[in-house]
Amino acid sequence: MKSSLNVPEYVRDALAGVAQRLGFTSNQHSVDYDFRVLENNRSVVSVLYRVTFREEPREATVLCKVPPPDADDTLLALFEREVFVYGKLLPALEQFQRTRQEGTAATPTTAGDREESSVPFAPSCYHAHCDAKKGEGIIILEDVQRRGFSNRHKFEPMDYDHARLAMVQLGRFHATSLALKKHQPELFEQYRYMGDVTGERVLAMEGFEQTMEQAFENAAATLPAGDAARREKLARLRGCFAEELQNISDTALSEPFCVVCHGDYAGDNMMFSYNGGFPSRMVMLDWQLAKYGSPALDFVHTVFLSTDESFRRNHYDNMLQTYHNALLSHLERLGDDSATEWFPLTVLMRLIKLQARQALVLGLLHIPLTVASEEAAIVEGEPGEEDEDSGSVRISDTTDAKYQSRMAGLLKDVFRLGFL
């Protein structure tokens, strides 16, 4: 599908290099741009479109991400972080897994064992580059839809099977980070400086404090009228939420267990492939918020923001155990026989208690945004599966029944589990 959208020369050059890498002959293949992905993409962080290389008798499709034309310094910083992840971090983690697999005595013998030992955490990246000063950036990715991956319904809370696989993949990802940190500290050192890209910028945004004040007020309105004790606890958090967010970013509180976190480990940033109708593989998308921090950050983000009260009531302990078992098992595959001793379940529970308030503060904004996005999708038509990033939309009406149910459920669980 042709389009009048201008494709910058640096993008065309990068695509030419990828085509050659994929075995297409220079000047003998066609390049077709499909911007329908762009039309359905609600992202404010990147522009996404599909590119197909054709040279008889074969073709190959990739996804191309670039910053929006009017990207400001914050958006470019976010894009630059994702370029760093795809260009540096993920290749290092994959290489480390292969090296450890080859060096351990218990080398996997079956294809299934090899896949478990060397886990791909994201779509393959063919090219990643960013020059923030020029306002240029590009990430060229494998189109995993061609391998049968798809998005689950992005607005629905995760069910057990999807959430369980998400916890297994998260445990493996964090385990690889911890093992690299332990066995190759010099290489890992650069990842310790992956700070929060947006934290200070968001707190300094004009109107953010007023937005949070309103969000706390709306959340408090979902509590029973006579529940003075919980209203008081929420009011105390309301008075110091900025300090809480800054304290949560203090990695010293969670060492020596800090890892590289995904930073936005939500259901709509995952794609799944299926076997017999059940999710069997998963890749993570949208790494703009990746940072060095407590492993509990990703756990609480998923469990509290991508599931509902009913799920947490029935499966919270199971998710905790699933994540922890996956982390320990993968650490052992990577050659650490003492992981059970230095990272017991009690340590994980302590880390979660330190970080759980972040899930609540994020939920105050995340839930109304999610409800509003769902309402907009119903009006405009469901976005395509290619949507990677969550966009900027209006806040939903907080009298909406879905908002009331989800927010009340989040508060109930935060209090029930003793996090506030």
Side-chain angles (χ1 to χ4, degrees), residues 215-275:
F216 271 100
E217 185 175 326
N218 294 337
T222 68
L223 292 170
D227 198 343
R230 290 184 174 180
R231 286 175 177 270
E232 174 60 27
K233 289 181 180 180
L234 192 60
R236 286 201 296 269
L237 179 60
R238 174 179 180 174
C240 63
F241 76 89
E243 291 82 356
E244 280 287 342
L245 289 178
Q246 289 173 333
N247 288 339
I248 287 169
S249 298
D250 185 357
T251 57
L253 298 174
S254 300
E255 289 290 18
F257 308 103
C258 286
V259 298
V260 177
C261 302
H262 179 278
D264 191 13
Y265 198 60
D268 55 349
N269 287 333
M270 307 171 188
M271 290 185 75
F272 298 87
S273 66
Y274 297 83
N275 185 2

Short mmCIF file of all heavy atoms in Angstrom, two decimals, residues 215-275:
data_model
loop_
_atom_site.label_atom_id
_atom_site.label_comp_id
_atom_site.label_asym_id
_atom_site.label_seq_id
_atom_site.Cartn_x
_atom_site.Cartn_y
_atom_site.Cartn_z
N ALA A 215 -7.27 12.49 41.01
CA ALA A 215 -7.26 11.03 40.93
C ALA A 215 -7.44 10.40 42.31
O ALA A 215 -8.19 9.41 42.46
CB ALA A 215 -5.96 10.55 40.29
N PHE A 216 -6.77 10.95 43.31
CA PHE A 216 -6.95 10.45 44.68
C PHE A 216 -8.38 10.67 45.15
O PHE A 216 -8.97 9.80 45.81
CB PHE A 216 -5.97 11.15 45.62
CG PHE A 216 -4.64 10.46 45.74
CD1 PHE A 216 -3.54 10.91 45.04
CD2 PHE A 216 -4.48 9.35 46.56
CE1 PHE A 216 -2.31 10.28 45.15
CE2 PHE A 216 -3.25 8.71 46.69
CZ PHE A 216 -2.16 9.18 45.96
N GLU A 217 -8.93 11.81 44.84
CA GLU A 217 -10.31 12.11 45.26
C GLU A 217 -11.29 11.13 44.62
O GLU A 217 -12.20 10.62 45.28
CB GLU A 217 -10.66 13.54 44.88
CG GLU A 217 -12.01 14.00 45.37
CD GLU A 217 -12.27 15.47 45.07
OE1 GLU A 217 -11.30 16.27 45.10
OE2 GLU A 217 -13.43 15.81 44.79
N ASN A 218 -11.09 10.86 43.33
CA ASN A 218 -11.98 9.92 42.64
C ASN A 218 -11.85 8.51 43.21
O ASN A 218 -12.84 7.80 43.36
CB ASN A 218 -11.64 9.90 41.15
CG ASN A 218 -11.94 11.21 40.46
OD1 ASN A 218 -12.76 12.00 40.93
ND2 ASN A 218 -11.28 11.45 39.34
N ALA A 219 -10.62 8.11 43.52
CA ALA A 219 -10.41 6.78 44.09
C ALA A 219 -11.05 6.66 45.46
O ALA A 219 -11.69 5.65 45.78
CB ALA A 219 -8.92 6.48 44.17
N ALA A 220 -10.89 7.69 46.28
CA ALA A 220 -11.47 7.66 47.62
C ALA A 220 -12.98 7.53 47.56
O ALA A 220 -13.61 6.94 48.46
CB ALA A 220 -11.06 8.92 48.38
N ALA A 221 -13.58 8.07 46.51
CA ALA A 221 -15.04 8.02 46.38
C ALA A 221 -15.55 6.61 46.16
O ALA A 221 -16.75 6.34 46.35
CB ALA A 221 -15.49 8.93 45.25
N THR A 222 -14.67 5.67 45.77
CA THR A 222 -15.09 4.29 45.57
C THR A 222 -15.08 3.50 46.88
O THR A 222 -15.58 2.37 46.91
CB THR A 222 -14.19 3.57 44.54
OG1 THR A 222 -12.88 3.40 45.08
CG2 THR A 222 -14.12 4.36 43.24
N LEU A 223 -14.51 4.06 47.94
CA LEU A 223 -14.50 3.39 49.24
C LEU A 223 -15.86 3.55 49.92
O LEU A 223 -16.55 4.55 49.70
CB LEU A 223 -13.41 3.97 50.14
CG LEU A 223 -11.96 3.72 49.73
CD1 LEU A 223 -11.01 4.56 50.58
CD2 LEU A 223 -11.61 2.24 49.86
N PRO A 224 -16.25 2.57 50.72
CA PRO A 224 -17.52 2.71 51.46
C PRO A 224 -17.53 3.98 52.29
O PRO A 224 -16.50 4.37 52.87
CB PRO A 224 -17.54 1.46 52.35
CG PRO A 224 -16.67 0.47 51.64
CD PRO A 224 -15.59 1.28 50.98
N ALA A 225 -18.66 4.62 52.36
CA ALA A 225 -18.76 5.91 53.03
C ALA A 225 -18.31 5.85 54.48
O ALA A 225 -17.74 6.80 55.01
CB ALA A 225 -20.20 6.42 52.94
N GLY A 226 -18.55 4.73 55.15
CA GLY A 226 -18.20 4.64 56.57
C GLY A 226 -16.81 4.12 56.85
O GLY A 226 -16.44 3.92 58.02
N ASP A 227 -16.01 3.91 55.81
CA ASP A 227 -14.66 3.33 55.99
C ASP A 227 -13.65 4.44 56.24
O ASP A 227 -12.80 4.75 55.40
CB ASP A 227 -14.30 2.52 54.76
CG ASP A 227 -13.13 1.55 55.04
OD1 ASP A 227 -12.44 1.74 56.05
OD2 ASP A 227 -12.94 0.62 54.23
N ALA A 228 -13.74 5.03 57.44
CA ALA A 228 -12.89 6.18 57.77
C ALA A 228 -11.42 5.81 57.84
O ALA A 228 -10.55 6.60 57.44
CB ALA A 228 -13.35 6.79 59.09
N ALA A 229 -11.10 4.61 58.32
CA ALA A 229 -9.69 4.22 58.49
C ALA A 229 -8.98 4.14 57.14
O ALA A 229 -7.87 4.66 56.99
CB ALA A 229 -9.62 2.88 59.21
N ARG A 230 -9.62 3.51 56.17
CA ARG A 230 -8.97 3.39 54.86
C ARG A 230 -8.93 4.73 54.14
O ARG A 230 -7.97 5.02 53.41
CB ARG A 230 -9.69 2.34 54.02
CG ARG A 230 -9.47 0.93 54.55
CD ARG A 230 -10.11 -0.13 53.68
NE ARG A 230 -9.77 -1.48 54.14
CZ ARG A 230 -10.19 -2.59 53.56
NH1 ARG A 230 -10.97 -2.53 52.49
NH2 ARG A 230 -9.84 -3.77 54.04
N ARG A 231 -9.94 5.54 54.33
CA ARG A 231 -9.91 6.88 53.73
C ARG A 231 -8.75 7.70 54.29
O ARG A 231 -8.10 8.45 53.57
CB ARG A 231 -11.24 7.60 53.98
CG ARG A 231 -12.39 7.09 53.12
CD ARG A 231 -13.70 7.77 53.49
NE ARG A 231 -14.76 7.33 52.62
CZ ARG A 231 -15.10 7.89 51.47
NH1 ARG A 231 -14.42 8.96 51.05
NH2 ARG A 231 -16.08 7.42 50.73
N GLU A 232 -8.49 7.52 55.57
CA GLU A 232 -7.40 8.25 56.20
C GLU A 232 -6.04 7.77 55.65
O GLU A 232 -5.15 8.58 55.39
CB GLU A 232 -7.46 8.06 57.71
CG GLU A 232 -6.28 8.67 58.48
CD GLU A 232 -6.14 10.18 58.29
OE1 GLU A 232 -7.17 10.84 58.02
OE2 GLU A 232 -5.02 10.69 58.39
N LYS A 233 -5.88 6.47 55.49
CA LYS A 233 -4.63 5.95 54.93
C LYS A 233 -4.41 6.45 53.51
O LYS A 233 -3.28 6.81 53.14
CB LYS A 233 -4.66 4.41 54.95
CG LYS A 233 -4.55 3.80 56.34
CD LYS A 233 -4.57 2.28 56.26
CE LYS A 233 -4.45 1.66 57.65
NZ LYS A 233 -4.48 0.17 57.58
N LEU A 234 -5.47 6.48 52.72
CA LEU A 234 -5.34 6.97 51.35
C LEU A 234 -5.01 8.46 51.35
O LEU A 234 -4.22 8.93 50.53
CB LEU A 234 -6.63 6.70 50.58
CG LEU A 234 -6.58 6.89 49.06
CD1 LEU A 234 -5.55 5.95 48.44
CD2 LEU A 234 -7.96 6.67 48.44
N ALA A 235 -5.59 9.19 52.29
CA ALA A 235 -5.32 10.63 52.39
C ALA A 235 -3.87 10.90 52.75
O ALA A 235 -3.24 11.85 52.25
CB ALA A 235 -6.25 11.28 53.41
N ARG A 236 -3.29 10.04 53.61
CA ARG A 236 -1.88 10.21 53.98
C ARG A 236 -0.98 9.97 52.77
O ARG A 236 0.01 10.69 52.57
CB ARG A 236 -1.51 9.27 55.13
CG ARG A 236 -2.06 9.70 56.48
CD ARG A 236 -1.28 9.06 57.63
NE ARG A 236 -1.42 7.62 57.64
CZ ARG A 236 -2.35 6.96 58.31
NH1 ARG A 236 -3.27 7.63 59.02
NH2 ARG A 236 -2.41 5.64 58.28
N LEU A 237 -1.30 8.95 51.96
CA LEU A 237 -0.53 8.70 50.75
C LEU A 237 -0.69 9.86 49.77
O LEU A 237 0.27 10.27 49.11
CB LEU A 237 -0.98 7.40 50.09
CG LEU A 237 -0.27 7.00 48.78
CD1 LEU A 237 1.22 6.84 49.00
CD2 LEU A 237 -0.87 5.73 48.20
N ARG A 238 -1.87 10.41 49.72
CA ARG A 238 -2.14 11.54 48.84
C ARG A 238 -1.23 12.73 49.19
O ARG A 238 -0.77 13.45 48.31
CB ARG A 238 -3.61 11.94 48.97
CG ARG A 238 -4.03 13.19 48.22
CD ARG A 238 -5.51 13.42 48.44
NE ARG A 238 -6.01 14.60 47.77
CZ ARG A 238 -7.30 14.94 47.73
NH1 ARG A 238 -8.20 14.17 48.32
NH2 ARG A 238 -7.68 16.03 47.10
N GLY A 239 -0.96 12.91 50.45
CA GLY A 239 -0.15 14.04 50.87
C GLY A 239 1.33 13.87 50.59
O GLY A 239 2.08 14.86 50.65
N CYS A 240 1.77 12.65 50.28
CA CYS A 240 3.21 12.44 50.07
C CYS A 240 3.50 11.54 48.88
O CYS A 240 4.54 10.88 48.84
CB CYS A 240 3.84 11.83 51.34
SG CYS A 240 3.19 10.21 51.78
N PHE A 241 2.59 11.53 47.88
CA PHE A 241 2.75 10.59 46.77
C PHE A 241 4.03 10.87 45.97
O PHE A 241 4.68 9.96 45.48
CB PHE A 241 1.53 10.60 45.85
CG PHE A 241 1.43 11.79 44.94
CD1 PHE A 241 2.02 11.78 43.69
CD2 PHE A 241 0.76 12.93 45.34
CE1 PHE A 241 1.94 12.87 42.85
CE2 PHE A 241 0.67 14.03 44.51
CZ PHE A 241 1.27 14.01 43.27
N ALA A 242 4.41 12.16 45.84
CA ALA A 242 5.62 12.49 45.08
C ALA A 242 6.85 11.91 45.77
O ALA A 242 7.73 11.32 45.12
CB ALA A 242 5.74 13.99 44.92
N GLU A 243 6.90 12.06 47.09
CA GLU A 243 8.03 11.50 47.84
C GLU A 243 8.04 9.97 47.76
O GLU A 243 9.10 9.35 47.66
CB GLU A 243 7.96 11.93 49.30
CG GLU A 243 8.21 13.40 49.55
CD GLU A 243 6.98 14.28 49.30
OE1 GLU A 243 5.93 13.73 48.87
OE2 GLU A 243 7.06 15.49 49.53
N GLU A 244 6.84 9.37 47.78
CA GLU A 244 6.75 7.91 47.67
C GLU A 244 7.32 7.43 46.34
O GLU A 244 8.08 6.47 46.27
CB GLU A 244 5.29 7.46 47.79
CG GLU A 244 4.78 7.39 49.21
CD GLU A 244 5.35 6.21 49.97
OE1 GLU A 244 5.86 5.26 49.35
OE2 GLU A 244 5.30 6.25 51.22
N LEU A 245 6.97 8.12 45.26
CA LEU A 245 7.47 7.73 43.95
C LEU A 245 8.98 7.88 43.86
O LEU A 245 9.68 7.06 43.24
CB LEU A 245 6.79 8.55 42.85
CG LEU A 245 5.31 8.23 42.59
CD1 LEU A 245 4.76 9.14 41.51
CD2 LEU A 245 5.13 6.77 42.18
N GLN A 246 9.51 8.93 44.48
CA GLN A 246 10.95 9.13 44.47
C GLN A 246 11.65 8.06 45.31
O GLN A 246 12.71 7.55 44.94
CB GLN A 246 11.28 10.52 44.97
CG GLN A 246 10.89 11.63 43.99
CD GLN A 246 11.06 13.01 44.56
OE1 GLN A 246 10.98 13.22 45.77
NE2 GLN A 246 11.27 13.99 43.69
N ASN A 247 11.05 7.69 46.45
CA ASN A 247 11.64 6.65 47.30
C ASN A 247 11.63 5.30 46.60
O ASN A 247 12.57 4.51 46.73
CB ASN A 247 10.86 6.55 48.61
CG ASN A 247 11.11 7.74 49.52
OD1 ASN A 247 12.11 8.44 49.39
ND2 ASN A 247 10.17 7.99 50.44
N ILE A 248 10.55 5.04 45.83
CA ILE A 248 10.45 3.78 45.13
C ILE A 248 11.57 3.65 44.10
O ILE A 248 12.04 2.56 43.78
CB ILE A 248 9.06 3.65 44.48
CG1 ILE A 248 8.02 3.37 45.58
CG2 ILE A 248 9.03 2.56 43.42
CD1 ILE A 248 6.59 3.49 45.12
N SER A 249 12.01 4.78 43.55
CA SER A 249 13.09 4.76 42.55
C SER A 249 14.47 4.62 43.18
O SER A 249 15.47 4.54 42.47
CB SER A 249 13.04 6.05 41.72
OG SER A 249 11.81 6.15 41.02
N ASP A 250 14.53 4.60 44.51
CA ASP A 250 15.80 4.46 45.21
C ASP A 250 16.24 3.00 45.17
O ASP A 250 15.75 2.17 45.96
CB ASP A 250 15.65 4.95 46.65
CG ASP A 250 16.97 4.94 47.41
OD1 ASP A 250 17.99 4.50 46.84
OD2 ASP A 250 16.98 5.38 48.58
N THR A 251 17.14 2.66 44.27
CA THR A 251 17.54 1.27 44.10
C THR A 251 18.27 0.71 45.32
O THR A 251 18.28 -0.51 45.53
CB THR A 251 18.44 1.12 42.86
OG1 THR A 251 19.58 1.98 42.99
CG2 THR A 251 17.68 1.48 41.59
N ALA A 252 18.85 1.58 46.13
CA ALA A 252 19.59 1.11 47.30
C ALA A 252 18.68 0.31 48.23
O ALA A 252 19.14 -0.59 48.95
CB ALA A 252 20.20 2.29 48.04
N LEU A 253 17.38 0.63 48.24
CA LEU A 253 16.44 -0.06 49.12
C LEU A 253 16.22 -1.51 48.70
O LEU A 253 15.75 -2.33 49.51
CB LEU A 253 15.09 0.68 49.13
CG LEU A 253 15.11 2.12 49.66
CD1 LEU A 253 13.74 2.76 49.48
CD2 LEU A 253 15.52 2.14 51.12
N SER A 254 16.54 -1.83 47.44
CA SER A 254 16.24 -3.17 46.92
C SER A 254 17.49 -3.96 46.53
O SER A 254 17.37 -5.07 45.99
CB SER A 254 15.32 -3.06 45.69
OG SER A 254 14.11 -2.43 46.05
N GLU A 255 18.65 -3.40 46.77
CA GLU A 255 19.87 -4.14 46.46
C GLU A 255 20.11 -5.23 47.52
O GLU A 255 19.64 -5.12 48.65
CB GLU A 255 21.07 -3.18 46.43
CG GLU A 255 21.08 -2.24 45.24
CD GLU A 255 21.37 -2.94 43.90
OE1 GLU A 255 21.23 -4.19 43.81
OE2 GLU A 255 21.70 -2.23 42.96
N PRO A 256 20.78 -6.32 47.14
CA PRO A 256 21.49 -6.58 45.87
C PRO A 256 20.63 -7.28 44.82
O PRO A 256 21.15 -7.99 43.97
CB PRO A 256 22.63 -7.48 46.32
CG PRO A 256 21.99 -8.32 47.39
CD PRO A 256 21.04 -7.40 48.12
N PHE A 257 19.30 -7.09 44.90
CA PHE A 257 18.39 -7.85 44.05
C PHE A 257 17.90 -7.08 42.83
O PHE A 257 17.06 -7.58 42.09
CB PHE A 257 17.20 -8.32 44.89
CG PHE A 257 17.60 -9.03 46.15
CD1 PHE A 257 17.52 -8.39 47.38
CD2 PHE A 257 18.08 -10.32 46.11
CE1 PHE A 257 17.91 -9.03 48.55
CE2 PHE A 257 18.47 -10.98 47.27
CZ PHE A 257 18.39 -10.33 48.50
N CYS A 258 18.40 -5.86 42.63
CA CYS A 258 17.92 -5.05 41.50
C CYS A 258 18.30 -5.69 40.17
O CYS A 258 19.34 -6.33 40.03
CB CYS A 258 18.47 -3.64 41.59
SG CYS A 258 17.68 -2.63 42.86
N VAL A 259 17.44 -5.47 39.19
CA VAL A 259 17.60 -6.02 37.85
C VAL A 259 17.27 -4.93 36.83
O VAL A 259 16.86 -3.83 37.21
CB VAL A 259 16.63 -7.21 37.62
CG1 VAL A 259 16.94 -8.35 38.58
CG2 VAL A 259 15.18 -6.76 37.78
N VAL A 260 17.42 -5.23 35.57
CA VAL A 260 16.85 -4.36 34.55
C VAL A 260 15.37 -4.73 34.44
O VAL A 260 15.02 -5.87 34.15
CB VAL A 260 17.53 -4.53 33.19
CG1 VAL A 260 16.84 -3.66 32.14
CG2 VAL A 260 19.00 -4.16 33.28
N CYS A 261 14.50 -3.77 34.71
CA CYS A 261 13.05 -3.97 34.66
C CYS A 261 12.52 -3.57 33.29
O CYS A 261 13.07 -2.67 32.64
CB CYS A 261 12.35 -3.13 35.72
SG CYS A 261 12.87 -3.43 37.41
N HIS A 262 11.45 -4.18 32.88
CA HIS A 262 10.77 -3.75 31.65
C HIS A 262 10.21 -2.36 31.83
O HIS A 262 10.29 -1.52 30.94
CB HIS A 262 9.66 -4.74 31.28
CG HIS A 262 8.90 -4.36 30.05
ND1 HIS A 262 7.87 -3.44 30.06
CD2 HIS A 262 9.02 -4.76 28.76
CE1 HIS A 262 7.39 -3.29 28.84
NE2 HIS A 262 8.07 -4.09 28.03
N GLY A 263 9.62 -2.10 32.99
CA GLY A 263 9.14 -0.76 33.32
C GLY A 263 7.69 -0.50 32.99
O GLY A 263 7.07 0.39 33.58
N ASP A 264 7.11 -1.27 32.06
CA ASP A 264 5.70 -1.11 31.70
C ASP A 264 5.15 -2.48 31.34
O ASP A 264 4.57 -2.69 30.28
CB ASP A 264 5.57 -0.14 30.52
CG ASP A 264 4.12 0.29 30.28
OD1 ASP A 264 3.27 0.04 31.15
OD2 ASP A 264 3.84 0.86 29.20
N TYR A 265 5.33 -3.41 32.29
CA TYR A 265 5.01 -4.81 32.03
C TYR A 265 3.51 -5.04 32.18
O TYR A 265 3.04 -5.61 33.16
CB TYR A 265 5.81 -5.70 32.97
CG TYR A 265 5.89 -7.15 32.53
CD1 TYR A 265 6.48 -7.48 31.32
CD2 TYR A 265 5.41 -8.18 33.32
CE1 TYR A 265 6.58 -8.80 30.90
CE2 TYR A 265 5.51 -9.51 32.93
CZ TYR A 265 6.09 -9.81 31.72
OH TYR A 265 6.18 -11.11 31.32
N ALA A 266 2.76 -4.57 31.20
CA ALA A 266 1.30 -4.67 31.20
C ALA A 266 0.86 -5.59 30.07
O ALA A 266 1.60 -5.86 29.12
CB ALA A 266 0.69 -3.28 31.01
N GLY A 267 -0.37 -6.07 30.18
CA GLY A 267 -0.88 -7.03 29.22
C GLY A 267 -0.86 -6.55 27.79
O GLY A 267 -0.70 -7.34 26.86
N ASP A 268 -1.03 -5.23 27.59
CA ASP A 268 -1.05 -4.73 26.21
C ASP A 268 0.35 -4.53 25.64
O ASP A 268 0.49 -4.11 24.49
CB ASP A 268 -1.86 -3.44 26.10
CG ASP A 268 -1.38 -2.36 27.04
OD1 ASP A 268 -0.57 -2.66 27.92
OD2 ASP A 268 -1.83 -1.20 26.91
N ASN A 269 1.38 -4.85 26.41
CA ASN A 269 2.76 -4.82 25.92
C ASN A 269 3.32 -6.23 25.76
O ASN A 269 4.53 -6.45 25.85
CB ASN A 269 3.65 -3.99 26.84
CG ASN A 269 3.38 -2.52 26.72
OD1 ASN A 269 2.94 -2.05 25.66
ND2 ASN A 269 3.62 -1.78 27.79
N MET A 270 2.43 -7.18 25.53
CA MET A 270 2.82 -8.58 25.35
C MET A 270 2.12 -9.14 24.12
O MET A 270 0.99 -8.76 23.82
CB MET A 270 2.41 -9.42 26.57
CG MET A 270 2.89 -8.90 27.91
SD MET A 270 2.12 -9.80 29.29
CE MET A 270 2.68 -8.82 30.69
N MET A 271 2.82 -10.02 23.41
CA MET A 271 2.20 -10.77 22.32
C MET A 271 2.42 -12.26 22.59
O MET A 271 3.48 -12.66 23.08
CB MET A 271 2.77 -10.36 20.96
CG MET A 271 2.37 -8.97 20.53
SD MET A 271 2.94 -8.53 18.86
CE MET A 271 1.78 -9.48 17.85
N PHE A 272 1.41 -13.06 22.25
CA PHE A 272 1.42 -14.48 22.57
C PHE A 272 1.24 -15.32 21.31
O PHE A 272 0.57 -14.92 20.37
CB PHE A 272 0.27 -14.82 23.53
CG PHE A 272 0.36 -14.13 24.86
CD1 PHE A 272 -0.18 -12.86 25.04
CD2 PHE A 272 0.98 -14.74 25.95
CE1 PHE A 272 -0.11 -12.22 26.28
CE2 PHE A 272 1.06 -14.10 27.18
CZ PHE A 272 0.52 -12.84 27.34
N SER A 273 1.86 -16.50 21.32
CA SER A 273 1.52 -17.53 20.34
C SER A 273 0.89 -18.69 21.10
O SER A 273 1.08 -18.83 22.32
CB SER A 273 2.75 -17.99 19.56
OG SER A 273 3.67 -18.67 20.39
N TYR A 274 0.14 -19.52 20.39
CA TYR A 274 -0.72 -20.49 21.04
C TYR A 274 -0.48 -21.89 20.53
O TYR A 274 -0.10 -22.10 19.38
CB TYR A 274 -2.19 -20.08 20.83
CG TYR A 274 -2.52 -18.74 21.45
CD1 TYR A 274 -2.25 -17.57 20.76
CD2 TYR A 274 -3.06 -18.66 22.73
CE1 TYR A 274 -2.52 -16.34 21.33
CE2 TYR A 274 -3.33 -17.43 23.31
CZ TYR A 274 -3.06 -16.28 22.60
OH TYR A 274 -3.31 -15.06 23.18
N ASN A 275 -0.73 -22.85 21.41
CA ASN A 275 -0.64 -24.26 21.09
C ASN A 275 -1.88 -24.93 21.68
O ASN A 275 -2.06 -24.94 22.89
CB ASN A 275 0.63 -24.86 21.67
CG ASN A 275 0.84 -26.31 21.26
OD1 ASN A 275 0.05 -26.87 20.50
ND2 ASN A 275 1.89 -26.93 21.77
#
